[in-house]
Structures are given as C-alpha cells and as structure tokens.
Amino acid sequence: ARPPFNDVRVRRAIQFAIDREAIVQRILGGFGTVPDSFVAPGVQSYEPIGKHPYDPDRAKREIAAVFPGGFSEKIVMWTSSGRYLKDQQVAEAVQGYLNAIGLQTEFRAWEWASYQQTLYRRTPNVPGTGYGTNAAHMWVLGTSIPTADWRLSRRYQTGQSANILGYSDPRVDDLLNRARITLDPAARLDLYHQANRLLWQPADRPNVQAEWQALAQAHALALPVCVSAALSRGVSDADNAARHGLSGENLAAGFSLT
C-alpha cells in the first residue's frame, strides 16, 4: 500500500472518520443503507458481518499514534462526477471527514471518459500500484456485480488485470481459487464467506465503503453497484458541512486506498 495507508492504524482511522449514516440520510435522502459486509445484499456470498462505527475521536488518536506531529502531505482524492448517484457529493463529504481528523486533502472531480482512461493507466516501476495509476491516494469506482467470484476475484486476486490497487493476500487468493473449482454449492459459499470476512477487516481491506444504494430491486432481485473512491478541489470543512448538512438497494460506494 502507498503511504500513509501502508500503516493499518491509518486505514482504521479512515474507517472511523466517516459518518456513513449521515451520508445515506442527508446526501442520498435515505435511499441507501450503511454497509455491514464487503459485498452487498443480493450479491452471492453476502452475509452481515457488522457495521463500522463513526468515531472521529478514535480516528484522531489513530492518526496521532502514527504521526505525532501530523501528516504533512496531502491525500489526493479523485472522483467521477455524474457517473454514479451523488458520486461527487459523497466524495466531497468524505473529504470533509478526513479534513476534520487532521488530514490535508486535494480534491479533483473528473468527467467519466477522462477519469477511466487515467485511472487505469499503470504507473511503471512503482511498487504497490497494481494495474492502475499511482497519482491519487483514493478514488471512486463502481461496478454492478451479482456474483461473488466476479466481485472479489477481478479486483482483489493477485495478478488480475482489473486489480488496479495491486492488492495481494495469499489467503484470499487460496480461498478464491478453491471456491472456483468447488462443485458443492454450500462449500463454495463458505469459501466466499471466508474471503469476504478477511476483506472486511480494517487490517486487510482495500476499500472504505460508504453506502449501498438501491438502484434496482424486486422481491428476489437486487442490482448492486460497488464503488471505490478518490477525490481534488480544496473544499473546506465548513463548505462541505453547509452544502451537505453534515457536522464536522444496492450501490456499494466506497473508497479505494492505494
């Protein structure tokens, strides 16, 4: 992982810094739910694991433990604008939450075609960048995926061309490889559950999911979209708070940490 996210305490801090319920209620108008799993309801292998609490004081303590004098560099955040429901507004809110725990941020909103072209441009000879750019620390990216293998393997299995983060964990690789060749449905589902639980832990997970948005849902059908984020425009905490009404089923919106 790229500094400062190569320290688990910083990854934990980001998890605690974001008020996901406020995002769902005040930006999405209640049309969403706070995630409790790495995959959304309606996606194969979904199981509720537990929601990450909003605790900005703990987030500040985690940052102070890593950087007693503060982290002086800017966290570069990118987002698409208009590609996903309220993508830029959600990204701006997350920027405000990061600023509120003492992190400096740089924010940029992109038109989709330029964004996609730049995001998937690999930075050569730089470790930890996977198959994507290393120009941003965080970015928004979404996918509509109904199956566990498509959801997990493409983004988080070592060597996959869509693994733009460069995420690699032999435990996750082994679980996904075994699930792919296991014929028993219950046994295969259990392997995906194990991979899901590993990815959901702050020490391992490559995403900060913000919400699930209900894009299309029937009695037995949910259309999930999973988003990872990056953000850069220099919006202040006060601007974000005033714009979104924030203090200090199923699009899974999150923030990928490079």
Side-chain angles (χ1 to χ4, degrees):
R2 180 183 177 186
F5 298 121
N6 57 336
D7 192 302
V8 65
R9 293 168 292 181
V10 178
R11 298 199 295 273
R12 279 200 301 258
I14 301 300
Q15 299 289 352
F16 287 120
I18 301 169
D19 189 345
R20 296 163 177 79
E21 187 62 42
I23 289 174
V24 168
Q25 296 303 321
R26 298 178 183 178
I27 297 179
L28 301 179
F31 291 97
T33 56
V34 175
D36 58 3
S37 173
F38 197 74
V39 298
V43 176
Q44 180 191 31
S45 85
Y46 166 75
E47 62 170 346
I49 299 174
K51 298 176 181 179
H52 293 296
Y54 172 53
D55 190 341
D57 291 333
R58 179 170 177 182
K60 292 176 183 177
R61 292 196 299 271
E62 296 277 10
I63 295 295
V66 184
F67 305 106
F71 183 67
S72 59
E73 299 180 27
K74 287 187 177 181
I75 305 296
V76 179
M77 310 175 77
W78 288 358
T79 182
S80 55
S81 182
R83 169 68 175 179
Y84 310 109
L85 180 64
K86 301 283 188 178
D87 48 5
Q88 183 173 339
Q89 293 90 328
V90 170
E92 288 173 349
V94 171
Q95 181 194 22
Y97 286 127
L98 267 59
N99 291 344
I101 64 169
L103 295 175
Q104 301 181 65
T105 56
E106 179 184 330
F107 185 96
R108 181 173 180 180
W110 292 76
E111 178 272 330
W112 176 246
S114 299
Y115 181 61
Q116 190 175 39
Q117 183 181 33
T118 305
L119 193 63
Y120 282 88
R121 184 178 298 148
R122 185 173 189 172
T123 304
N125 303 318
V126 178
T129 59
Y131 290 89
T133 181
N134 199 41
H137 293 88
M138 301 175 68
W139 61 72
V140 172
L141 185 63
T143 48
S144 177
I145 313 172
T147 66
D149 187 71
W150 190 255
R151 168 74 177 98
L152 301 176
S153 297
R154 290 181 70 250
R155 296 293 185 195
Y156 309 115
Q157 191 162 24
T158 303
Q160 289 286 336
S161 60
N163 184 354
I164 60 176
L165 297 173
Y167 180 83
S168 180
D169 185 329
R171 298 170 300 171
V172 173
D173 291 343
D174 177 64
L175 290 166
L176 295 177
N177 284 332
R178 285 193 285 146
R180 194 173 293 120
I181 61 174
T182 297
L183 298 180
D184 180 78
R188 183 168 65 249
L189 190 62
D190 180 64
L191 292 168
Y192 285 133
H193 281 161
Q194 292 180 58
N196 182 30
R197 292 171 200 143
L198 282 175
L199 288 164
W200 190 244
Q201 301 307 310
D204 296 284
R205 63 183 309 200
N207 295 79
V208 181
Q209 287 180 307
E211 79 280 338
W212 291 323
Q213 300 170 6
L215 299 185
Q217 189 165 350
H219 293 297
L221 169 68
L223 176 63
V225 178
C226 191
V227 179
S228 307
L231 319 156
S232 169
R233 196 184 58 195
V235 181
S236 70
D237 296 342
D239 289 339
N240 280 326
R243 183 176 303 150
H244 302 306
L246 301 171
S247 56
E249 229 167 313
N250 295 333
L251 171 111
F255 301 83
S256 290
L257 313 179
T258 64

